[in-house]
Amino acid sequence: MPVGGASRFASYLGVVKHLRRVAAISSSAATEFQGFVDALPAQGLTGPEIVECQLPAGSGTTAGARAGATGPTVLVVGSFEPRKNHLAILFAAETLWREGLRFDLVLIGGMGWGDAVPRLVSRLRRVGRPVIMRHRVDDASLREAYASARFTVFPSLHEGYGLPVVESLAAGVPAITSNFGSLAEIASGGGIVTIDPRDDVALTDAMRQLLIDDALLARLRAQIAGRPSRTWSDYADDLWRGLVAPERQVLASDARHPEPVP
Amino acid sequence: MSPATLTAGSADGFLRWANHRSEAIRRARSARLRVLLGALAVPPAQTTETLVAQLRERLANPSADELWLALAVLTATLPGPSAVERAMRSCRLDGPLAAFDEALHARSLAGYLRHRRDLELSEVVVLTGEVVVDLHNTASTTITTGIQRVARETAKRWQRTHAPVFVAWHPRRAALVRLTQHETAGEAPAIGVATQSPGADRAVLVPWRCTYVLPELMAELPRVAALQGLFRYSGSTSAAIGYDCVPLMVPETVASDAVVNGFAAMLAGLSHADRIATISEAAAVEYRGWRRMLAGAGLTGPHIAAVPLPVHADRPTRTTLEQARARFLTDELPMVLAVGSHEPRKNHLAVLHAARLAWRDGVRFGLAFIGGAGWGADTFRREVEELQGAGHPVEVHADVADDQLWAAYALARCTLFPSLDEGFGLPIAESLACGTPVITSNYGSTLELAAGGGALLVDPRDDHDIARAIERLVTDDRLHAVLRKQALVRHDRTWDQYAEAAWDYLVLGKVRPPDDVRRTLAAIPGRRGYEQS
């Protein structure tokens, strides 16, 4: 987190503790909110009821990756900040380039904070490594980037959901992501290779595997095509059931009984 | 050799570092190479070239722990996790010497390394198998907050019974130095306070396979990063006292965003610790909730157990009693005492309003506040002046010495402490130890303390409830006598017992038997949410 982020989030939690219900976007996020609620008896409060409403995750098929300037493209989407773990990806890529593998590395994301990633990317480009950083990418270009990637890499250290992995699935493109929390939840549906994001060697091995093993890639693509699709309508229905419907029942019984419902 | 693309350093650069042209610096650096090799169980050679060769061979394929140790010894600074990760990547790509060269030239967080000169000659000592107690803040101040009182009373006893190594942080960088016995006891001007920078010339300590104990708070970002590195890579057992989670759980009652951010940084560090001894069961509830939240980041978090603080007060002398009588009592009215700094969390506006309600009902008592300025107290001061203007007996006292405070408790009819959130509630414990009944909040740590007897519980968010409790305790002599008797026969811990229990858990990892914990919890009424997960 950047310095100062914590206090804003703490203020937000100050509101959350007086809510009746919270719909968490993943079961990992639900566990985090439940932990916060568990701590509230110490200040004499009950806190909200936490329900879990998974965000939608589509599944798609890809026309097949297109080669970049020097080989297949490995795509990384996410703002440039330490949590997204770009330094581990750059280390893995450099290791694989030195092994003689040929691939383009494309990093797309907002400018985040910290200057370590841009500095490293500059160093790599100076010695001719095929890596590019792109900011301010519109939706069409982003779709195009997913569609032409061989696979995506998202070894984030912490996510409530992990949109780039979901986008990758929607484009029919396999992904490498972290083996815990919300990312592991998404991965359990298939089409994804999970690794410990704090283990550089595991990340390097996974990227090497997906670069050289066409059969594995095909299997992962087939798994993605077979994933159940969850739509925004499904999500909206779940939200209504989780957040609004129970409160309407409470209001209805309040109207019958003037005493507050415990 | 492949081009050094990721590593901003080289083996040649490291050799140049080791062979610095100044003899004094060269000798200091050779000494560090020897210390490092010694800690890695390699008998150090004579010449610099051979030492460097030994290091390259020994750390050709290092563990993260070994890299942490190497960086700590070579830079005389405790590296944070990102420095260790970076060094590991550079080491894998370009070898250990290039990684060290890079680390030695790395720009550091917040300019911590800007004063490089006094780094050059520092002696570095690797401590192994010791218990290291970090007393930095407590040794750097003469102020006595609740936290400093706990850290001092505990350290004093540990010094006598266990003689651990007491340390503080170097005045200008993330490195540990040894505190003298006088500094530990609070008898000598401590590090970074009195003069320019005592401690800058002391040997830098690198704890390796030790036990590190933090009995106070830590909020400076570069230090927290260093601490996280120590927890993760030094092979040490790490433990801390957990006071409360107020900055995160009730941020609206904290003076500034900086406090919240510093506290969040400390929690990030503690997520890699092994044990946290909370000062009450209620504080354990907060810390366990936080630990549950760590799962989202793939972390397990520390073991958490409550080691409740003692209930203690010194007995005032006849003279201090007389002085206090003259200072605090008004017209021989029974005194209702409110102790604590004037800040929103202490709920002093509710105290004033409740007192106003009780006075309006004809209850006769004087209200005395003892406590520092705190923050956000403008409304409080205005209302006090308004009440005083209307002829109500309310006084606010600041700068009250400990012996006067003990005397005030002894003279009070009751102590009023309807705080909104506490890790413990020191004024309750102090008042009860003096035999003076307490009115306090009906949940959390204050409820827990009250469960031992001598207190009347109120909803701190209901001024009328507080007013009724004041009226009962001021007017009902029989109730007052019952509570006073309860307070006097409580079975509470002493500081000696606390210090031993804290050592047993923090250092030795001994937990109380589950039956014992269950009994404690069973004694707390309405302990919803207290069951250990």
Side-chain angles (χ1 to χ4, degrees):
Chain A
M1 287 278 286
V3 175
S7 63
R8 279 198 296 278
F9 189 73
S11 305
Y12 158 72
L13 287 179
V15 176
V16 168
K17 68 186 174 194
H18 296 294
L19 295 175
R20 297 271 303 192
R21 311 180 75 80
V22 168
I25 58 173
S26 64
S27 85
S28 171
T31 303
E32 291 188 282
F33 276 93
Q34 193 59 53
F36 174 68
V37 169
D38 287 351
L40 290 173
Q43 50 179 301
L45 298 176
T46 313
E49 184 166 329
I50 309 296
V51 293
E52 184 192 321
C53 293
Q54 295 265 358
L55 281 180
S59 76
T61 52
T62 174
R66 279 188 298 283
T70 63
T73 301
V74 175
L75 177 65
V76 180
V77 177
S79 54
F80 298 101
E81 53 180 299
R83 184 164 58 93
K84 306 291 184 185
N85 213 8
H86 285 99
L87 295 178
I89 300 173
L90 292 173
F91 162 80
E94 171 64 10
T95 304
L96 296 173
W97 281 320
R98 286 192 189 184
E99 287 175 12
L101 289 176
R102 293 167 65 85
F103 62 95
D104 284 9
L105 183 63
V106 178
L107 312 175
I108 295 179
M111 266 321 282
W113 61 284
D115 62 352
V117 175
R119 274 195 296 143
L120 256 190
V121 167
S122 305
R123 289 179 69 86
L124 287 166
R125 288 178 63 83
R126 270 204 299 280
V127 296
R129 296 302 189 202
V131 49
I132 54 169
M133 261 177 110
R134 294 172 61 191
H135 315 292
R136 291 195 203 87
V137 173
D138 62 27
D139 281 358
S141 311
L142 187 60
R143 262 199 306 278
E144 168 65 23
Y146 276 114
S148 54
R150 181 171 169 96
F151 61 91
T152 63
V153 188
F154 193 66
S156 172
L157 297 170
H158 191 194
E159 292 296 322
Y161 192 58
L163 203 57
V165 178
V166 175
E167 287 172 343
S168 189
L169 291 172
V173 176
I176 297 171
T177 193
S178 307
N179 62 359
F180 58 80
S182 62
L183 295 168
E185 285 172 53
I186 297 172
S188 65
I192 294 173
V193 174
T194 62
I195 44 99
D196 175 357
R198 296 178 180 94
D199 182 347
D200 290 346
V201 174
L203 176 63
T204 310
D205 289 347
M207 284 173 61
R208 183 189 300 108
Q209 197 75 30
L210 282 188
L211 279 168
I212 60 181
D213 190 341
D214 290 341
L216 170 64
L217 203 70
R219 267 202 312 281
L220 291 171
R221 281 186 186 145
Q223 284 174 13
I224 294 174
R227 282 177 69 109
S229 179
R230 184 170 157 77
T231 65
W232 282 105
S233 289
D234 296 334
Y235 177 65
D237 289 347
D238 279 359
L239 273 188
W240 189 268
R241 267 196 298 274
L243 293 180
V244 182
E247 292 305 310
R248 280 160 73 102
Q249 265 171 19
V250 170
L251 285 175
S253 57
D254 269 359
R256 285 195 299 275
H257 311 285
E259 285 298 303
V261 173
Chain B
M1 193 178 137
S2 41
T5 46
L6 282 195
T7 312
S10 67
D12 289 349
F14 184 73
L15 253 177
R16 280 196 297 279
W17 175 85
N19 279 317
H20 194 273
R21 61 185 181 285
S22 143
E23 200 199 323
I25 291 179
R26 197 165 61 238
R27 222 181 299 133
R29 289 177 179 177
S30 288
R32 285 187 200 169
L33 289 173
R34 285 198 189 87
V35 166
L36 175 57
L37 285 163
L40 292 167
V42 177
Q46 285 304 313
T47 68
T48 304
E49 276 70 18
T50 330
L51 288 169
V52 169
Q54 282 182 309
L55 198 61
R56 176 164 48 198
E57 196 188 323
R58 174 65 178 79
L59 294 180
N61 192 12
S63 67
D65 288 9
E66 288 169 343
L67 264 190
W68 176 86
L69 178 69
L71 295 181
V73 173
L74 295 175
T75 64
T77 305
L78 299 182
S82 58
V84 175
E85 280 162 13
R86 181 177 180 183
M88 182 58 95
R89 284 166 190 150
S90 299
C91 185
R92 281 183 175 138
L93 289 168
D94 300 304
L97 302 187
F100 299 149
D101 185 37
E102 176 181 64
L104 285 160
H105 292 98
R107 282 189 306 144
S108 68
L109 264 175
Y112 238 57
L113 287 179
R114 233 178 293 137
H115 307 270
R116 296 191 64 86
R117 281 305 300 179
D118 60 42
L119 293 190
E120 301 292 3
L121 297 171
S122 292
E123 187 196 352
V124 177
V125 174
V126 175
L127 287 180
T128 307
E130 301 270 6
V131 178
V132 177
V133 179
D134 187 340
L135 218 54
H136 182 83
N137 283 336
T138 307
S140 307
T141 179
T142 50
I143 299 168
T144 305
T145 64
I147 290 170
Q148 262 111 33
R149 191 190 291 276
V150 173
R152 257 189 216 122
E153 294 294 338
T154 308
K156 209 157 66 186
R157 286 164 176 85
W158 286 353
Q159 195 167 28
R160 270 201 312 267
T161 50
H162 302 289
V165 179
F166 288 100
V167 298
W169 293 78
H170 188 280
R172 288 196 294 274
R173 60 205 156 99
L176 295 171
V177 296
R178 195 184 284 261
L179 283 169
T180 67
Q181 220 165 30
H182 292 302
E183 288 166 346
T184 303
E187 294 159 356
I191 289 208
V193 181
T195 54
Q196 193 73 33
S197 60
D201 55 347
R202 292 184 199 175
V204 164
L205 306 179
V206 177
W208 178 241
R209 295 167 185 161
C210 284
T211 300
Y212 169 90
V213 181
L214 179 67
E216 51 174 36
L217 299 184
M218 173 179 297
E220 293 94 341
L221 288 178
R223 277 184 206 148
V224 169
L227 204 62
Q228 213 173 37
L230 178 82
F231 289 176
R232 284 174 66 176
Y233 304 114
S234 75
S236 300
T237 300
S238 49
I241 295 181
Y243 288 89
D244 56 55
C245 291
V246 162
L248 222 55
M249 296 304 295
V250 275
E252 66 275 21
T253 70
V254 173
S256 71
D257 285 357
V259 175
V260 178
N261 292 319
F263 185 77
M266 185 182 84
L267 282 184
L270 290 181
S271 62
H272 295 278
D274 294 293
R275 294 190 271 274
I276 295 180
T278 61
I279 58 172
S280 66
E281 295 290 347
V285 167
E286 288 193 328
Y287 275 93
R288 287 197 188 104
W290 158 74
R291 184 181 58 194
R292 188 164 181 193
M293 298 172 80
L294 293 175
L299 300 173
T300 318
H303 186 267
I304 291 159
V307 180
L309 288 181
V311 172
H312 171 85
D314 283 353
R315 198 173 285 277
T317 64
R318 195 180 296 259
T319 325
T320 50
L321 263 179
E322 284 316 310
Q323 287 165 347
R325 200 183 298 277
R327 183 172 179 189
F328 300 119
L329 289 190
T330 331
D331 307 331
E332 294 301 317
L333 285 173
M335 171 169 68
V336 174
L337 179 64
V339 177
S341 52
H342 305 298
E343 52 177 297
R345 185 164 56 92
K346 302 295 181 184
N347 212 13
H348 285 170
L349 290 180
V351 169
L352 288 176
H353 189 230
R356 194 196 292 260
L357 292 169
W359 281 321
R360 203 176 59 190
D361 283 352
V363 186
R364 298 193 65 233
F365 63 95
L367 178 61
F369 288 92
I370 294 182
W375 64 280
D378 291 351
T379 316
F380 171 77
R381 272 187 287 275
R382 244 191 340 270
E383 292 199 9
V384 166
E385 280 165 23
E386 190 196 316
L387 283 167
Q388 286 169 334
H392 291 297
V394 51
E395 297 290 339
V396 179
H397 307 277
D399 299 319
V400 176
D402 275 359
D403 58 341
Q404 288 286 300
L405 178 63
W406 309 132
Y409 283 122
L411 292 169
R413 172 83 177 180
C414 65
T415 299
L416 184 50
F417 192 70
S419 171
L420 294 170
D421 191 14
E422 290 293 320
F424 185 66
L426 215 49
I428 305 175
E430 291 167 346
S431 179
L432 291 172
C434 293
T436 300
V438 173
I439 299 168
T440 192
S441 308
N442 61 1
Y443 56 78
S445 68
T446 52
L447 165 69
E448 194 177 319
L449 263 174
L456 213 52
L457 293 168
V458 294
D459 175 357
R461 298 178 178 101
D462 179 350
D463 297 353
H464 291 273
D465 201 23
I466 302 172
R468 275 192 298 275
I470 295 175
E471 182 169 348
R472 287 180 67 195
L473 259 183
V474 170
T475 59
D476 187 341
D477 287 341
R478 197 184 301 169
L479 172 69
H480 186 267
V482 167
L483 291 177
R484 181 173 169 75
K485 195 171 166 201
Q486 284 177 6
L488 288 170
V489 299
R490 284 173 64 105
H491 296 287
D492 291 304
R493 276 192 166 143
T494 63
W495 277 113
D496 285 349
Q497 288 165 331
Y498 173 76
E500 261 334 274
W503 181 274
D504 282 351
Y505 177 63
L506 293 170
V507 178
L508 306 176
K510 282 191 209 158
V511 288
R512 286 193 298 160
D515 280 354
D516 188 19
V517 175
R518 261 197 297 279
R519 262 197 305 280
T520 312
L521 291 176
I524 305 167
R527 61 191 184 287
R528 180 178 47 80
Y530 274 47
E531 281 67 28
Q532 281 178 291
S533 49

